[in-house]
PDB file of all heavy atoms in Angstrom:
ATOM      1  N   PRO J1382       0.296 -15.664  12.073  1.00  0.00           N
ATOM      2  CA  PRO J1382       1.209 -16.753  12.453  1.00  0.00           C
ATOM      3  C   PRO J1382       2.588 -16.188  12.824  1.00  0.00           C
ATOM      4  O   PRO J1382       3.439 -15.967  11.969  1.00  0.00           O
ATOM      5  CB  PRO J1382       1.282 -17.601  11.176  1.00  0.00           C
ATOM      6  CG  PRO J1382       1.009 -16.635  10.063  1.00  0.00           C
ATOM      7  CD  PRO J1382       0.096 -15.578  10.615  1.00  0.00           C
ATOM      8  N   PRO J1639       6.841 -11.428  -7.584  1.00  0.00           N
ATOM      9  CA  PRO J1639       6.125 -12.459  -6.824  1.00  0.00           C
ATOM     10  C   PRO J1639       5.526 -11.945  -5.516  1.00  0.00           C
ATOM     11  O   PRO J1639       4.372 -12.257  -5.189  1.00  0.00           O
ATOM     12  CB  PRO J1639       7.205 -13.523  -6.579  1.00  0.00           C
ATOM     13  CG  PRO J1639       8.147 -13.360  -7.736  1.00  0.00           C
ATOM     14  CD  PRO J1639       8.194 -11.883  -7.990  1.00  0.00           C
ATOM     15  N   ALA J1642       2.813  -9.001  -6.352  1.00  0.00           N
ATOM     16  CA  ALA J1642       1.633  -9.539  -7.033  1.00  0.00           C
ATOM     17  C   ALA J1642       0.792 -10.398  -6.095  1.00  0.00           C
ATOM     18  O   ALA J1642      -0.446 -10.422  -6.206  1.00  0.00           O
ATOM     19  CB  ALA J1642       2.058 -10.353  -8.253  1.00  0.00           C
ATOM     20  N   THR J1643       1.430 -11.107  -5.170  1.00  0.00           N
ATOM     21  CA  THR J1643       0.675 -11.907  -4.205  1.00  0.00           C
ATOM     22  C   THR J1643      -0.190 -11.014  -3.325  1.00  0.00           C
ATOM     23  O   THR J1643      -1.392 -11.265  -3.137  1.00  0.00           O
ATOM     24  CB  THR J1643       1.640 -12.733  -3.325  1.00  0.00           C
ATOM     25  OG1 THR J1643       2.403 -13.614  -4.158  1.00  0.00           O
ATOM     26  CG2 THR J1643       0.869 -13.549  -2.298  1.00  0.00           C
ATOM     27  N   ILE J1644       0.396  -9.949  -2.789  1.00  0.00           N
ATOM     28  CA  ILE J1644      -0.344  -9.039  -1.916  1.00  0.00           C
ATOM     29  C   ILE J1644      -1.408  -8.284  -2.711  1.00  0.00           C
ATOM     30  O   ILE J1644      -2.539  -8.094  -2.241  1.00  0.00           O
ATOM     31  CB  ILE J1644       0.630  -8.080  -1.206  1.00  0.00           C
ATOM     32  CG1 ILE J1644       1.546  -8.872  -0.268  1.00  0.00           C
ATOM     33  CG2 ILE J1644      -0.125  -7.001  -0.435  1.00  0.00           C
ATOM     34  CD1 ILE J1644       2.656  -8.069   0.369  1.00  0.00           C
ATOM     35  N   THR J1646      -2.924  -9.309  -5.551  1.00  0.00           N
ATOM     36  CA  THR J1646      -3.974 -10.233  -5.958  1.00  0.00           C
ATOM     37  C   THR J1646      -4.875 -10.589  -4.786  1.00  0.00           C
ATOM     38  O   THR J1646      -6.111 -10.653  -4.921  1.00  0.00           O
ATOM     39  CB  THR J1646      -3.358 -11.511  -6.566  1.00  0.00           C
ATOM     40  OG1 THR J1646      -2.517 -11.141  -7.667  1.00  0.00           O
ATOM     41  CG2 THR J1646      -4.433 -12.468  -7.056  1.00  0.00           C
ATOM     42  N   LEU J1647      -4.279 -10.820  -3.625  1.00  0.00           N
ATOM     43  CA  LEU J1647      -5.069 -11.132  -2.432  1.00  0.00           C
ATOM     44  C   LEU J1647      -6.028  -9.985  -2.117  1.00  0.00           C
ATOM     45  O   LEU J1647      -7.222 -10.209  -1.863  1.00  0.00           O
ATOM     46  CB  LEU J1647      -4.137 -11.384  -1.243  1.00  0.00           C
ATOM     47  CG  LEU J1647      -4.835 -11.663   0.088  1.00  0.00           C
ATOM     48  CD1 LEU J1647      -5.559 -13.001   0.037  1.00  0.00           C
ATOM     49  CD2 LEU J1647      -3.835 -11.639   1.243  1.00  0.00           C
ATOM     50  N   TYR J1673     -14.460 -21.027   5.846  1.00  0.00           N
ATOM     51  CA  TYR J1673     -13.127 -21.623   5.673  1.00  0.00           C
ATOM     52  C   TYR J1673     -12.150 -21.021   6.673  1.00  0.00           C
ATOM     53  O   TYR J1673     -11.417 -21.744   7.357  1.00  0.00           O
ATOM     54  CB  TYR J1673     -12.668 -21.372   4.240  1.00  0.00           C
ATOM     55  CG  TYR J1673     -11.332 -21.977   3.868  1.00  0.00           C
ATOM     56  CD1 TYR J1673     -11.245 -23.279   3.380  1.00  0.00           C
ATOM     57  CD2 TYR J1673     -10.157 -21.243   3.953  1.00  0.00           C
ATOM     58  CE1 TYR J1673     -10.030 -23.828   3.000  1.00  0.00           C
ATOM     59  CE2 TYR J1673      -8.932 -21.775   3.586  1.00  0.00           C
ATOM     60  CZ  TYR J1673      -8.871 -23.075   3.108  1.00  0.00           C
ATOM     61  OH  TYR J1673      -7.658 -23.607   2.736  1.00  0.00           O
ATOM     62  N   LEU J1674     -12.148 -19.691   6.784  1.00  0.00           N
ATOM     63  CA  LEU J1674     -11.260 -19.035   7.740  1.00  0.00           C
ATOM     64  C   LEU J1674     -11.645 -19.377   9.173  1.00  0.00           C
ATOM     65  O   LEU J1674     -10.788 -19.433  10.064  1.00  0.00           O
ATOM     66  CB  LEU J1674     -11.280 -17.526   7.526  1.00  0.00           C
ATOM     67  CG  LEU J1674     -10.665 -17.036   6.206  1.00  0.00           C
ATOM     68  CD1 LEU J1674     -10.945 -15.559   6.002  1.00  0.00           C
ATOM     69  CD2 LEU J1674      -9.162 -17.290   6.184  1.00  0.00           C
ATOM     70  N   GLY J1678      -6.558 -23.425  12.256  1.00  0.00           N
ATOM     71  CA  GLY J1678      -5.470 -24.296  11.812  1.00  0.00           C
ATOM     72  C   GLY J1678      -4.866 -23.823  10.508  1.00  0.00           C
ATOM     73  O   GLY J1678      -4.717 -22.618  10.266  1.00  0.00           O
ATOM     74  N   MET J1679      -4.531 -24.774   9.635  1.00  0.00           N
ATOM     75  CA  MET J1679      -3.895 -24.429   8.358  1.00  0.00           C
ATOM     76  C   MET J1679      -4.843 -23.627   7.468  1.00  0.00           C
ATOM     77  O   MET J1679      -4.398 -22.885   6.596  1.00  0.00           O
ATOM     78  CB  MET J1679      -3.473 -25.695   7.632  1.00  0.00           C
ATOM     79  CG  MET J1679      -4.614 -26.610   7.225  1.00  0.00           C
ATOM     80  SD  MET J1679      -4.156 -27.836   5.975  1.00  0.00           S
ATOM     81  CE  MET J1679      -4.104 -26.834   4.500  1.00  0.00           C
ATOM     82  N   TYR J1680      -6.155 -23.778   7.696  1.00  0.00           N
ATOM     83  CA  TYR J1680      -7.121 -23.113   6.827  1.00  0.00           C
ATOM     84  C   TYR J1680      -7.117 -21.597   7.031  1.00  0.00           C
ATOM     85  O   TYR J1680      -7.385 -20.839   6.099  1.00  0.00           O
ATOM     86  CB  TYR J1680      -8.516 -23.679   7.085  1.00  0.00           C
ATOM     87  CG  TYR J1680      -8.580 -25.169   6.909  1.00  0.00           C
ATOM     88  CD1 TYR J1680      -8.618 -26.018   8.009  1.00  0.00           C
ATOM     89  CD2 TYR J1680      -8.562 -25.739   5.640  1.00  0.00           C
ATOM     90  CE1 TYR J1680      -8.651 -27.400   7.861  1.00  0.00           C
ATOM     91  CE2 TYR J1680      -8.597 -27.119   5.475  1.00  0.00           C
ATOM     92  CZ  TYR J1680      -8.638 -27.942   6.587  1.00  0.00           C
ATOM     93  OH  TYR J1680      -8.654 -29.302   6.421  1.00  0.00           O
ATOM     94  N   SER J1681      -6.818 -21.157   8.246  1.00  0.00           N
ATOM     95  CA  SER J1681      -6.696 -19.719   8.475  1.00  0.00           C
ATOM     96  C   SER J1681      -5.237 -19.270   8.443  1.00  0.00           C
ATOM     97  O   SER J1681      -4.938 -18.161   7.997  1.00  0.00           O
ATOM     98  CB  SER J1681      -7.325 -19.327   9.811  1.00  0.00           C
ATOM     99  OG  SER J1681      -6.643 -19.929  10.892  1.00  0.00           O
ATOM    100  N   ALA J1682      -4.317 -20.142   8.892  1.00  0.00           N
ATOM    101  CA  ALA J1682      -2.901 -19.742   8.972  1.00  0.00           C
ATOM    102  C   ALA J1682      -2.336 -19.428   7.595  1.00  0.00           C
ATOM    103  O   ALA J1682      -1.572 -18.463   7.432  1.00  0.00           O
ATOM    104  CB  ALA J1682      -2.081 -20.848   9.642  1.00  0.00           C
ATOM    105  N   GLY J1683      -2.703 -20.226   6.584  1.00  0.00           N
ATOM    106  CA  GLY J1683      -2.179 -19.978   5.247  1.00  0.00           C
ATOM    107  C   GLY J1683      -2.621 -18.643   4.678  1.00  0.00           C
ATOM    108  O   GLY J1683      -1.787 -17.801   4.313  1.00  0.00           O
ATOM    109  N   PRO J1684      -3.945 -18.380   4.595  1.00  0.00           N
ATOM    110  CA  PRO J1684      -4.391 -17.083   4.083  1.00  0.00           C
ATOM    111  C   PRO J1684      -3.894 -15.901   4.905  1.00  0.00           C
ATOM    112  O   PRO J1684      -3.537 -14.862   4.347  1.00  0.00           O
ATOM    113  CB  PRO J1684      -5.918 -17.201   4.142  1.00  0.00           C
ATOM    114  CG  PRO J1684      -6.194 -18.667   4.043  1.00  0.00           C
ATOM    115  CD  PRO J1684      -5.064 -19.324   4.783  1.00  0.00           C
ATOM    116  N   VAL J1685      -3.864 -16.045   6.247  1.00  0.00           N
ATOM    117  CA  VAL J1685      -3.447 -14.913   7.082  1.00  0.00           C
ATOM    118  C   VAL J1685      -1.943 -14.677   6.954  1.00  0.00           C
ATOM    119  O   VAL J1685      -1.474 -13.545   7.077  1.00  0.00           O
ATOM    120  CB  VAL J1685      -3.868 -15.135   8.546  1.00  0.00           C
ATOM    121  CG1 VAL J1685      -3.358 -14.001   9.431  1.00  0.00           C
ATOM    122  CG2 VAL J1685      -5.377 -15.213   8.648  1.00  0.00           C
ATOM    123  N   SER J1686      -1.168 -15.733   6.674  1.00  0.00           N
ATOM    124  CA  SER J1686       0.266 -15.520   6.433  1.00  0.00           C
ATOM    125  C   SER J1686       0.486 -14.703   5.169  1.00  0.00           C
ATOM    126  O   SER J1686       1.443 -13.932   5.068  1.00  0.00           O
ATOM    127  CB  SER J1686       0.996 -16.863   6.335  1.00  0.00           C
ATOM    128  OG  SER J1686       0.689 -17.542   5.124  1.00  0.00           O
ATOM    129  N   LEU J1687      -0.419 -14.855   4.194  1.00  0.00           N
ATOM    130  CA  LEU J1687      -0.369 -14.028   2.995  1.00  0.00           C
ATOM    131  C   LEU J1687      -0.773 -12.595   3.318  1.00  0.00           C
ATOM    132  O   LEU J1687      -0.106 -11.633   2.925  1.00  0.00           O
ATOM    133  CB  LEU J1687      -1.310 -14.588   1.931  1.00  0.00           C
ATOM    134  CG  LEU J1687      -1.025 -15.988   1.396  1.00  0.00           C
ATOM    135  CD1 LEU J1687      -2.235 -16.510   0.628  1.00  0.00           C
ATOM    136  CD2 LEU J1687       0.205 -15.974   0.485  1.00  0.00           C
ATOM    137  N   LEU J1688      -1.870 -12.463   4.041  1.00  0.00           N
ATOM    138  CA  LEU J1688      -2.393 -11.154   4.401  1.00  0.00           C
ATOM    139  C   LEU J1688      -1.381 -10.361   5.216  1.00  0.00           C
ATOM    140  O   LEU J1688      -1.229  -9.140   5.029  1.00  0.00           O
ATOM    141  CB  LEU J1688      -3.688 -11.337   5.201  1.00  0.00           C
ATOM    142  CG  LEU J1688      -4.425 -10.093   5.664  1.00  0.00           C
ATOM    143  CD1 LEU J1688      -5.041  -9.380   4.472  1.00  0.00           C
ATOM    144  CD2 LEU J1688      -5.508 -10.472   6.668  1.00  0.00           C
ATOM    145  N   SER J1689      -0.669 -11.024   6.106  1.00  0.00           N
ATOM    146  CA  SER J1689       0.288 -10.356   6.994  1.00  0.00           C
ATOM    147  C   SER J1689       1.557  -9.925   6.268  1.00  0.00           C
ATOM    148  O   SER J1689       2.335  -9.146   6.818  1.00  0.00           O
ATOM    149  CB  SER J1689       0.667 -11.293   8.142  1.00  0.00           C
ATOM    150  OG  SER J1689       1.407 -12.408   7.657  1.00  0.00           O
ATOM    151  N   GLY J1690       1.789 -10.454   5.066  1.00  0.00           N
ATOM    152  CA  GLY J1690       3.024 -10.150   4.360  1.00  0.00           C
ATOM    153  C   GLY J1690       4.213 -10.958   4.833  1.00  0.00           C
ATOM    154  O   GLY J1690       5.343 -10.714   4.411  1.00  0.00           O
ATOM    155  N   LEU J1691       3.970 -11.947   5.704  1.00  0.00           N
ATOM    156  CA  LEU J1691       5.072 -12.761   6.221  1.00  0.00           C
ATOM    157  C   LEU J1691       5.393 -13.942   5.300  1.00  0.00           C
ATOM    158  O   LEU J1691       6.489 -14.480   5.348  1.00  0.00           O
ATOM    159  CB  LEU J1691       4.715 -13.291   7.616  1.00  0.00           C
ATOM    160  CG  LEU J1691       4.586 -12.225   8.710  1.00  0.00           C
ATOM    161  CD1 LEU J1691       4.001 -12.848   9.980  1.00  0.00           C
ATOM    162  CD2 LEU J1691       5.942 -11.580   9.005  1.00  0.00           C
ATOM    163  N   ASN J1692       4.440 -14.342   4.461  1.00  0.00           N
ATOM    164  CA  ASN J1692       4.661 -15.476   3.562  1.00  0.00           C
ATOM    165  C   ASN J1692       3.978 -15.207   2.221  1.00  0.00           C
ATOM    166  O   ASN J1692       3.079 -15.940   1.810  1.00  0.00           O
ATOM    167  CB  ASN J1692       4.114 -16.760   4.190  1.00  0.00           C
ATOM    168  CG  ASN J1692       4.392 -17.987   3.338  1.00  0.00           C
ATOM    169  OD1 ASN J1692       5.438 -18.086   2.699  1.00  0.00           O
ATOM    170  ND2 ASN J1692       3.460 -18.928   3.322  1.00  0.00           N
ATOM    171  N   PRO J1693       4.384 -14.148   1.531  1.00  0.00           N
ATOM    172  CA  PRO J1693       3.683 -13.752   0.305  1.00  0.00           C
ATOM    173  C   PRO J1693       4.118 -14.579  -0.907  1.00  0.00           C
ATOM    174  O   PRO J1693       4.888 -14.134  -1.755  1.00  0.00           O
ATOM    175  CB  PRO J1693       4.074 -12.275   0.154  1.00  0.00           C
ATOM    176  CG  PRO J1693       5.425 -12.191   0.784  1.00  0.00           C
ATOM    177  CD  PRO J1693       5.470 -13.210   1.882  1.00  0.00           C
ATOM    178  N   LYS J1694       3.598 -15.805  -0.996  1.00  0.00           N
ATOM    179  CA  LYS J1694       3.965 -16.706  -2.090  1.00  0.00           C
ATOM    180  C   LYS J1694       2.769 -16.903  -3.022  1.00  0.00           C
ATOM    181  O   LYS J1694       1.681 -17.279  -2.572  1.00  0.00           O
ATOM    182  CB  LYS J1694       4.425 -18.049  -1.538  1.00  0.00           C
ATOM    183  CG  LYS J1694       5.711 -17.972  -0.727  1.00  0.00           C
ATOM    184  CD  LYS J1694       6.118 -19.346  -0.224  1.00  0.00           C
ATOM    185  CE  LYS J1694       7.417 -19.270   0.576  1.00  0.00           C
ATOM    186  NZ  LYS J1694       7.814 -20.610   1.103  1.00  0.00           N
ATOM    187  N   PRO J1695       2.948 -16.668  -4.328  1.00  0.00           N
ATOM    188  CA  PRO J1695       1.830 -16.813  -5.267  1.00  0.00           C
ATOM    189  C   PRO J1695       1.189 -18.191  -5.236  1.00  0.00           C
ATOM    190  O   PRO J1695      -0.037 -18.312  -5.328  1.00  0.00           O
ATOM    191  CB  PRO J1695       2.471 -16.520  -6.620  1.00  0.00           C
ATOM    192  CG  PRO J1695       3.699 -15.736  -6.328  1.00  0.00           C
ATOM    193  CD  PRO J1695       4.180 -16.215  -4.999  1.00  0.00           C
ATOM    194  N   SER J1696       2.001 -19.233  -5.111  1.00  0.00           N
ATOM    195  CA  SER J1696       1.446 -20.590  -5.126  1.00  0.00           C
ATOM    196  C   SER J1696       0.533 -20.836  -3.937  1.00  0.00           C
ATOM    197  O   SER J1696      -0.501 -21.506  -4.055  1.00  0.00           O
ATOM    198  CB  SER J1696       2.586 -21.618  -5.131  1.00  0.00           C
ATOM    199  OG  SER J1696       3.431 -21.440  -3.996  1.00  0.00           O
ATOM    200  N   VAL J1697       0.906 -20.301  -2.767  1.00  0.00           N
ATOM    201  CA  VAL J1697       0.071 -20.451  -1.572  1.00  0.00           C
ATOM    202  C   VAL J1697      -1.250 -19.714  -1.759  1.00  0.00           C
ATOM    203  O   VAL J1697      -2.321 -20.207  -1.376  1.00  0.00           O
ATOM    204  CB  VAL J1697       0.821 -19.933  -0.323  1.00  0.00           C
ATOM    205  CG1 VAL J1697      -0.086 -19.993   0.913  1.00  0.00           C
ATOM    206  CG2 VAL J1697       2.083 -20.755  -0.079  1.00  0.00           C
ATOM    207  N   LEU J1698      -1.192 -18.543  -2.367  1.00  0.00           N
ATOM    208  CA  LEU J1698      -2.410 -17.771  -2.611  1.00  0.00           C
ATOM    209  C   LEU J1698      -3.379 -18.527  -3.511  1.00  0.00           C
ATOM    210  O   LEU J1698      -4.568 -18.676  -3.185  1.00  0.00           O
ATOM    211  CB  LEU J1698      -2.041 -16.424  -3.247  1.00  0.00           C
ATOM    212  CG  LEU J1698      -3.207 -15.603  -3.812  1.00  0.00           C
ATOM    213  CD1 LEU J1698      -4.179 -15.221  -2.706  1.00  0.00           C
ATOM    214  CD2 LEU J1698      -2.692 -14.367  -4.525  1.00  0.00           C
ATOM    215  N   VAL J1699      -2.893 -19.019  -4.640  1.00  0.00           N
ATOM    216  CA  VAL J1699      -3.756 -19.715  -5.588  1.00  0.00           C
ATOM    217  C   VAL J1699      -4.313 -20.991  -4.957  1.00  0.00           C
ATOM    218  O   VAL J1699      -5.504 -21.313  -5.116  1.00  0.00           O
ATOM    219  CB  VAL J1699      -2.997 -20.030  -6.893  1.00  0.00           C
ATOM    220  CG1 VAL J1699      -3.836 -20.902  -7.815  1.00  0.00           C
ATOM    221  CG2 VAL J1699      -2.620 -18.729  -7.609  1.00  0.00           C
ATOM    222  N   MET J1700      -3.469 -21.710  -4.216  1.00  0.00           N
ATOM    223  CA  MET J1700      -3.924 -22.946  -3.574  1.00  0.00           C
ATOM    224  C   MET J1700      -5.088 -22.668  -2.623  1.00  0.00           C
ATOM    225  O   MET J1700      -6.138 -23.321  -2.692  1.00  0.00           O
ATOM    226  CB  MET J1700      -2.774 -23.592  -2.800  1.00  0.00           C
ATOM    227  CG  MET J1700      -3.188 -24.873  -2.067  1.00  0.00           C
ATOM    228  SD  MET J1700      -1.887 -25.538  -0.998  1.00  0.00           S
ATOM    229  CE  MET J1700      -1.900 -24.361   0.356  1.00  0.00           C
ATOM    230  N   HIS J1701      -4.941 -21.679  -1.740  1.00  0.00           N
ATOM    231  CA  HIS J1701      -5.988 -21.423  -0.759  1.00  0.00           C
ATOM    232  C   HIS J1701      -7.225 -20.808  -1.405  1.00  0.00           C
ATOM    233  O   HIS J1701      -8.353 -21.074  -0.962  1.00  0.00           O
ATOM    234  CB  HIS J1701      -5.462 -20.518   0.358  1.00  0.00           C
ATOM    235  CG  HIS J1701      -4.682 -21.262   1.393  1.00  0.00           C
ATOM    236  ND1 HIS J1701      -5.283 -22.043   2.349  1.00  0.00           N
ATOM    237  CD2 HIS J1701      -3.346 -21.362   1.603  1.00  0.00           C
ATOM    238  CE1 HIS J1701      -4.357 -22.585   3.123  1.00  0.00           C
ATOM    239  NE2 HIS J1701      -3.165 -22.191   2.687  1.00  0.00           N
ATOM    240  N   PHE J1702      -7.056 -20.014  -2.448  1.00  0.00           N
ATOM    241  CA  PHE J1702      -8.215 -19.431  -3.104  1.00  0.00           C
ATOM    242  C   PHE J1702      -9.118 -20.525  -3.668  1.00  0.00           C
ATOM    243  O   PHE J1702     -10.338 -20.513  -3.478  1.00  0.00           O
ATOM    244  CB  PHE J1702      -7.786 -18.472  -4.214  1.00  0.00           C
ATOM    245  CG  PHE J1702      -8.927 -17.691  -4.806  1.00  0.00           C
ATOM    246  CD1 PHE J1702      -9.362 -16.519  -4.219  1.00  0.00           C
ATOM    247  CD2 PHE J1702      -9.583 -18.137  -5.943  1.00  0.00           C
ATOM    248  CE1 PHE J1702     -10.431 -15.804  -4.736  1.00  0.00           C
ATOM    249  CE2 PHE J1702     -10.642 -17.433  -6.489  1.00  0.00           C
ATOM    250  CZ  PHE J1702     -11.070 -16.254  -5.880  1.00  0.00           C
ATOM    251  N   PHE J1703      -8.506 -21.503  -4.338  1.00  0.00           N
ATOM    252  CA  PHE J1703      -9.316 -22.571  -4.915  1.00  0.00           C
ATOM    253  C   PHE J1703      -9.732 -23.608  -3.870  1.00  0.00           C
ATOM    254  O   PHE J1703     -10.737 -24.301  -4.050  1.00  0.00           O
ATOM    255  CB  PHE J1703      -8.595 -23.204  -6.101  1.00  0.00           C
ATOM    256  CG  PHE J1703      -8.678 -22.349  -7.340  1.00  0.00           C
ATOM    257  CD1 PHE J1703      -7.587 -21.614  -7.768  1.00  0.00           C
ATOM    258  CD2 PHE J1703      -9.861 -22.244  -8.051  1.00  0.00           C
ATOM    259  CE1 PHE J1703      -7.672 -20.798  -8.895  1.00  0.00           C
ATOM    260  CE2 PHE J1703      -9.958 -21.435  -9.170  1.00  0.00           C
ATOM    261  CZ  PHE J1703      -8.866 -20.711  -9.593  1.00  0.00           C
ATOM    262  N   MET J1704      -8.990 -23.700  -2.762  1.00  0.00           N
ATOM    263  CA  MET J1704      -9.471 -24.539  -1.656  1.00  0.00           C
ATOM    264  C   MET J1704     -10.753 -23.954  -1.060  1.00  0.00           C
ATOM    265  O   MET J1704     -11.669 -24.700  -0.686  1.00  0.00           O
ATOM    266  CB  MET J1704      -8.392 -24.668  -0.577  1.00  0.00           C
ATOM    267  CG  MET J1704      -7.291 -25.674  -0.928  1.00  0.00           C
ATOM    268  SD  MET J1704      -5.992 -25.781   0.327  1.00  0.00           S
ATOM    269  CE  MET J1704      -6.903 -26.505   1.697  1.00  0.00           C
ATOM    270  N   VAL J1705     -10.832 -22.626  -0.984  1.00  0.00           N
ATOM    271  CA  VAL J1705     -12.060 -21.985  -0.528  1.00  0.00           C
ATOM    272  C   VAL J1705     -13.202 -22.322  -1.485  1.00  0.00           C
ATOM    273  O   VAL J1705     -14.314 -22.679  -1.062  1.00  0.00           O
ATOM    274  CB  VAL J1705     -11.873 -20.454  -0.417  1.00  0.00           C
ATOM    275  CG1 VAL J1705     -13.225 -19.766  -0.219  1.00  0.00           C
ATOM    276  CG2 VAL J1705     -10.936 -20.104   0.723  1.00  0.00           C
ATOM    277  N   ILE J1737     -10.276 -14.317  -9.867  1.00  0.00           N
ATOM    278  CA  ILE J1737      -8.830 -14.325  -9.672  1.00  0.00           C
ATOM    279  C   ILE J1737      -8.027 -14.315 -10.967  1.00  0.00           C
ATOM    280  O   ILE J1737      -6.953 -13.711 -11.033  1.00  0.00           O
ATOM    281  CB  ILE J1737      -8.399 -15.521  -8.776  1.00  0.00           C
ATOM    282  CG1 ILE J1737      -6.988 -15.270  -8.232  1.00  0.00           C
ATOM    283  CG2 ILE J1737      -8.495 -16.838  -9.541  1.00  0.00           C
ATOM    284  CD1 ILE J1737      -6.586 -16.218  -7.132  1.00  0.00           C
ATOM    285  N   ILE J1741      -4.647 -11.992 -11.897  1.00  0.00           N
ATOM    286  CA  ILE J1741      -3.318 -12.561 -12.159  1.00  0.00           C
ATOM    287  C   ILE J1741      -2.847 -12.187 -13.558  1.00  0.00           C
ATOM    288  O   ILE J1741      -1.665 -11.876 -13.780  1.00  0.00           O
ATOM    289  CB  ILE J1741      -3.349 -14.090 -11.975  1.00  0.00           C
ATOM    290  CG1 ILE J1741      -3.593 -14.441 -10.502  1.00  0.00           C
ATOM    291  CG2 ILE J1741      -2.049 -14.726 -12.459  1.00  0.00           C
ATOM    292  CD1 ILE J1741      -3.747 -15.921 -10.243  1.00  0.00           C
ATOM    293  N   VAL J1749       4.750 -13.395 -12.288  1.00  0.00           N
ATOM    294  CA  VAL J1749       4.338 -13.772 -10.942  1.00  0.00           C
ATOM    295  C   VAL J1749       4.892 -15.132 -10.546  1.00  0.00           C
ATOM    296  O   VAL J1749       5.456 -15.300  -9.458  1.00  0.00           O
ATOM    297  CB  VAL J1749       2.799 -13.783 -10.844  1.00  0.00           C
ATOM    298  CG1 VAL J1749       2.354 -14.344  -9.495  1.00  0.00           C
ATOM    299  CG2 VAL J1749       2.239 -12.379 -11.036  1.00  0.00           C
ATOM    300  N   PHE J1750       4.762 -16.131 -11.435  1.00  0.00           N
ATOM    301  CA  PHE J1750       5.103 -17.502 -11.073  1.00  0.00           C
ATOM    302  C   PHE J1750       6.487 -17.946 -11.551  1.00  0.00           C
ATOM    303  O   PHE J1750       7.096 -18.817 -10.928  1.00  0.00           O
ATOM    304  CB  PHE J1750       4.042 -18.460 -11.622  1.00  0.00           C
ATOM    305  CG  PHE J1750       2.689 -18.251 -11.027  1.00  0.00           C
ATOM    306  CD1 PHE J1750       1.706 -17.550 -11.704  1.00  0.00           C
ATOM    307  CD2 PHE J1750       2.391 -18.739  -9.759  1.00  0.00           C
ATOM    308  CE1 PHE J1750       0.452 -17.354 -11.157  1.00  0.00           C
ATOM    309  CE2 PHE J1750       1.130 -18.551  -9.195  1.00  0.00           C
ATOM    310  CZ  PHE J1750       0.165 -17.847  -9.890  1.00  0.00           C
TER     311      PHE J1750
END
Side-chain angles (χ1 to χ4, degrees):
T1643 300
I1644 295 173
T1646 303
L1647 177 68
Y1673 183 88
L1674 292 171
M1679 64 163 284
Y1680 304 104
S1681 64
V1685 176
S1686 72
L1687 298 166
L1688 181 70
S1689 67
L1691 294 170
N1692 184 36
K1694 295 181 179 179
S1696 58
V1697 176
L1698 169 62
V1699 173
M1700 178 187 73
H1701 279 284
F1702 188 85
F1703 283 105
M1704 282 178 67
V1705 168
I1737 198 168
I1741 293 175
V1749 173
F1750 296 101

